[in-house]
Amino acid sequence: MIIHLPFFPLLALAALTGAAALQLRRRRRQNGQADAQEPDWSAPVLDEAADRDSPFHRWDARLKIASLFIYCFLVVSLQTLTWAAAALAISIAAVMASRIPWSRPLRRLAAMSGFLTMFLIVVPLTAPAVPGETLIVLDPFSSLILHGEGLRLATLVVVKACAIALLMEPLLATAPLAVTLQALAALRLPNAICQMILLAHRYIHVLGHEARRMQRSMRLRGFAPRTDLATLRAYGNFLGMLFVRSFDRTQRVFEAMQSRGYRGAFPTWTTFAATPADWAKGAFWIIMGIILLTMDRLNLC
Amino acid sequence: MHISDGVLPTSVALGCYGLTAVLNGVGLWRLRDHTEELPKIAVVTSSFFVASLIHVPFGPTSVHLLLPGIVGALLGPAAFVSITVGLLLQSLLFQFGGITALGANALMMGLPALAAAYAFPRLRGRTRTSHAIAGAICGAGGTALAAVNLAILLGTAGESFFGVAKIALIAHLPVIVIEGVVSAFVAAFLFQVKPELLRP
């Protein structure tokens, strides 16, 4: 059976390319100000919007992380497009409720767009034939046949990935990083891992500056990246130097931390106190996830 | 390439989380008497994170480096912990790889790093050339192993994803070559400049 392309995957594709285009435009605008050749070393600051006020900001971080984490696993278990779309709508509502500027969740969608576009193109073309499924022939090229079942699966993956990626902002950006990590420690994530996340997050920005400076001096000496051995050699030495400098720095960092009283843990100021409202929010998300999954499995539309 | 949310079956995603937790537990247990190592591993982790932002031109497109071989050669058994933290940060900051697929991504990249941690000290020899060859083997082999892990993980999602798994494998072929060459230069550079960084 030959049919026209359905609307939803095209819409998802358009949204993803739109997000990618947005990202590209932003890059170009930034480069216009700074430099056309310099790569973008900057990492976004995770808790930029932590000082706003919303139901997510007021939520006890421990319960927020635990319940949204469980909810994410319930969402990835969905198997029908209808209920995955419902989860996406819930995530959009959550981003709006958390009062985070849309540029941040859109940047997350743009980061996934390459991987997910590949899925949308490859899976429908290569999926095995299922008896009774709809075949879509792309009109000008009659040899390209899209399998309806493959298209459904690929769209399902894209919708679920977007639904969860959008939730990351209400989850992570609504509390200072230190509080989020303290909540993770309270949820029994090993203290050593929490320490490493906090330090690594800090030093990504420091070493990003270092890398930018080294890259600039390479360009001043006439380096222009090409597809050849000399470029790979230059990058190899560049990375080696970055590692040597970061190792040298670790020693000084550790001594400085010790002299300020570091004994394997950072002092904390926040104490968590969960109110009934916090528990209610946690229960709300988990029950919503269970409802989504139940409806999905019963295939109720 | 990182696996995003929604691809893997929930059982596979949870199983990978469990295995990742066990491997991290083993890594941290081995570090238990060396807490002064943790800040160091953290700073080295961020240097690998920054290194993964480098895009090497490849014809009309570009590939970014992952360096699982060099992570293993520099950090030894602690490499798995470092990779897990690095991937967690990539997921939290950039959405490279989803939060539910973190366990799978950590296994995909962390196992090759552990393999390199095992192989590099046995291959490195004593000269600059032998270090470069050991770096090339660990870099190319580590990336090849990561690509195979990726294909296996995509394959667990069902027959419909076999096509994507194959294309992902093919797309990694040039990356394997580039990673091998760059890792060889990094290993030779470190041998000349600061050989004590490469673990005995």
Side-chain angles (χ1 to χ4, degrees):
Chain A
M1 181 164 66
I2 301 168
I3 62 156
H4 295 287
L5 280 173
F7 175 64
F8 263 111
L10 278 182
L11 190 71
L13 190 66
L16 281 172
T17 38
L22 201 77
Q23 171 78 357
L24 212 66
R25 210 184 57 182
R26 173 199 300 276
R27 279 268 168 80
R28 221 171 264 158
R29 207 168 33 197
Q30 277 177 351
N31 287 348
Q33 287 167 0
D35 209 303
Q37 283 191 351
E38 207 156 285
D40 185 9
W41 297 110
S42 58
V45 176
L46 198 54
D47 47 7
E48 222 170 37
D51 53 352
R52 298 177 182 223
D53 186 40
S54 79
F56 283 97
H57 289 80
R58 286 191 297 270
W59 193 359
D60 186 308
R62 291 171 304 172
L63 286 165
K64 176 168 66 181
I65 293 168
S67 50
L68 286 181
F69 191 68
I70 295 170
Y71 175 79
C72 285
F73 273 99
L74 292 169
V75 169
V76 289
S77 309
L78 297 177
Q79 283 169 359
T80 62
L81 213 45
T82 321
W83 295 104
L88 182 59
I90 290 170
S91 296
I92 292 172
V95 174
M96 283 158 77
S98 68
R99 303 213 189 142
I100 288 164
W102 269 98
S103 59
R104 292 173 56 92
L106 285 181
R107 191 164 52 198
R108 287 183 179 273
L109 296 189
M112 300 189 304
S113 57
F115 187 78
L116 294 180
T117 309
M118 182 188 82
F119 259 79
L120 270 183
I121 294 170
V122 175
V123 174
L125 286 172
T126 59
V130 178
E133 71 172 341
T134 318
L135 291 180
I136 300 148
V137 178
L138 296 178
D139 262 340
F141 319 98
S142 56
S143 61
L144 278 182
I145 297 167
L146 297 180
H147 295 265
E149 182 56 21
L151 192 60
R152 195 191 70 81
L153 276 176
T155 316
L156 183 66
V157 165
V158 172
V159 171
K160 287 195 289 187
C162 290
I164 292 172
L166 287 179
L167 267 189
M168 288 299 112
E169 287 295 326
L171 173 63
L172 298 164
T174 51
L177 183 65
V179 173
T180 302
L181 287 173
Q182 212 185 323
L184 283 172
L187 293 169
R188 301 293 154 83
L189 189 74
N191 182 46
I193 299 268
C194 298
Q195 304 275 313
M196 283 181 58
I197 295 172
L198 196 60
L199 281 171
H201 178 259
R202 165 85 183 90
Y203 277 92
I204 282 167
H205 298 281
V206 175
L207 293 174
H209 278 287
E210 181 99 42
R212 191 177 303 158
R213 221 171 45 224
M214 286 164 67
Q215 187 88 21
R216 201 173 292 153
S217 38
M218 277 166 82
R219 284 218 343 273
L220 278 174
R221 286 182 237 118
F223 172 73
R226 283 188 306 273
T227 309
D228 59 13
L229 201 61
T231 300
L232 295 185
R233 189 194 169 104
Y235 274 126
N237 293 342
F238 168 72
L239 293 172
M241 201 63 222
L242 190 67
F243 297 147
V244 168
R245 289 191 184 176
S246 79
F247 262 100
D248 286 346
R249 194 188 284 269
T250 59
Q251 201 51 48
R252 298 199 303 273
V253 168
F254 185 63
E255 280 161 10
M257 282 167 65
Q258 270 191 322
S259 66
R260 286 172 179 81
Y262 177 80
R263 295 286 177 276
F266 291 110
T268 52
W269 293 274
T270 323
T271 43
F272 293 113
T275 62
D278 291 325
W279 284 100
K281 285 178 199 167
F284 169 76
W285 278 97
I286 291 178
I287 290 170
M288 200 152 58
I290 292 172
I291 290 175
L292 279 175
L293 194 60
T294 316
M295 301 296 255
D296 179 80
R297 287 299 190 273
L298 296 174
N299 211 356
L300 299 172
C301 289
Chain B
M1 204 177 288
H2 301 67
I3 299 172
S4 73
D5 289 307
V7 178
L8 299 174
T10 310
S11 54
V12 174
L14 284 173
C16 289
Y17 250 101
L19 205 49
T20 298
V22 169
L23 285 169
N24 272 304
V26 172
L28 289 176
W29 182 74
R30 295 182 69 156
L31 286 169
R32 67 198 181 285
D33 296 328
H34 306 278
T35 41
E36 76 280 1
E37 292 282 319
L38 290 176
K40 293 182 192 175
I41 298 170
V43 178
V44 176
T45 301
S46 28
S47 75
F48 288 116
F49 185 100
V50 169
S52 75
L53 299 177
I54 296 179
H55 285 253
V56 177
F58 174 69
T61 169
S62 69
V63 300
H64 80 96
L65 298 167
L66 305 165
L67 302 169
I70 297 295
V71 180
L74 287 180
L75 291 180
F80 198 89
V81 180
S82 166
I83 295 240
T84 309
V85 171
L87 285 171
L88 178 65
L89 281 170
Q90 284 196 330
S91 169
L92 300 188
L93 290 171
F94 292 118
Q95 199 64 32
F96 290 160
I99 193 76
T100 60
L102 177 66
N105 283 319
L107 284 183
M108 172 174 100
M109 305 287 300
L111 291 179
L114 284 184
Y118 178 83
F120 189 80
R122 287 162 179 78
L123 295 170
R124 59 191 286 198
R126 291 223 172 81
T127 65
R128 185 174 185 275
T129 318
S130 67
H131 272 79
I133 293 169
I137 293 172
C138 290
T143 312
L145 198 56
V148 171
N149 288 347
L150 171 67
I152 292 173
L153 285 168
L154 288 176
T156 63
E159 208 186 331
S160 307
F161 295 86
F162 286 0
V164 177
K166 269 183 219 156
I167 288 194
L169 264 185
I170 294 166
H172 269 85
L173 289 178
V175 186
I176 290 169
V177 175
I178 292 175
E179 287 268 349
V181 176
V182 173
S183 300
F185 283 127
V186 173
F189 179 89
L190 290 177
F191 172 71
Q192 276 187 317
V193 176
K194 217 172 165 73
E196 66 269 25
L197 287 189
L198 299 165
R199 297 176 64 87

